[in-house]
Amino acid sequence: MKEAEIRRLLAANLLCVFSIILTAVLPAFFWKGFTVLGTHLTWLCICSICVSTLNVILHSILRPNLTPKRSSFAHKISRFLKCCIYFFMSCILFHAIIVLYGAPLIESVTETFLFAVLLSTFTTLQCLCVLGPNIQAWIRVFSKNGATSIWESSLQITTIGSILGAWFGAFPIPLDWDRPWQVWPISCSLGATFGYTAGLIIAPLWIHWNRKQLTYKSR
């Protein structure tokens, strides 16, 4: 395993962490009254857009191109449209799952959908950047010993971290503490963000510490 590739992964992940921090701090200089809690829906939109844009750019630049075949313009357009459809379907699916887990069905529809968009940004978009619109590859990566590169291992860790963070973030909502961050979906979206951020930091460190045990095989 090349150390240079691990350093590229670490650089990409740290830039993503830095971008999330900026989305919480930088808008306050231009938008009076902006806070992550007070204007949470706005922050959800800003965070989703910034993380999505940065991830697409970073993966196109830093990640080695493993599939140089079929790079015609028509194929690129078809791939882009498939990615957009997959991402939109992921948002709808996450929205439905969140409602099934207890989110309001009719009330707070905007809040629930934007939270679903954030979750899709942390999970599905990562899959699209690393694996493309290939469901079979997604299933392979999230099966036991399915990763074939450090990028796929990082994808596993950040995706699991995001979902677990969102799940743990739901625990304080029914408690009668009457805190501002208990309003739906603030604690869940913050939990997902912390889980995603933790995954970004943990992934390259874990890969570096276990690089001698990790033996990736192409499939």
Side-chain angles (χ1 to χ4, degrees), residues 108-183:
S108 307
V109 173
T110 303
E111 289 84 348
T112 303
F113 184 74
L114 289 179
F115 173 49
V117 172
L118 184 74
L119 268 181
S120 297
T121 301
F122 291 158
T123 58
T124 305
L125 181 72
Q126 303 293 312
C127 294
L128 291 171
C129 288
V130 176
L131 304 171
N134 186 343
I135 298 297
Q136 291 181 345
W138 297 14
I139 296 173
R140 170 185 59 77
V141 167
F142 290 100
S143 62
K144 185 178 180 180
N145 300 322
T148 61
S149 69
I150 66 171
W151 299 92
E152 294 180 0
S153 294
S154 178
L155 173 64
Q156 292 174 336
I157 295 172
T158 54
T159 299
I160 294 172
S162 302
I163 295 175
L164 287 179
W167 186 60
F168 281 114
F171 289 165
I173 292 179
L175 301 178
D176 58 349
W177 295 344
D178 294 327
R179 301 295 183 182
W181 49 267
Q182 288 180 275
V183 176

Side-chain angles (χ1 to χ4, degrees), residues 17 60-62 67 135 145 208:
V17 172
S60 62
I61 294 175
L62 295 178
T67 57
I135 298 297
N145 300 322
H208 177 75

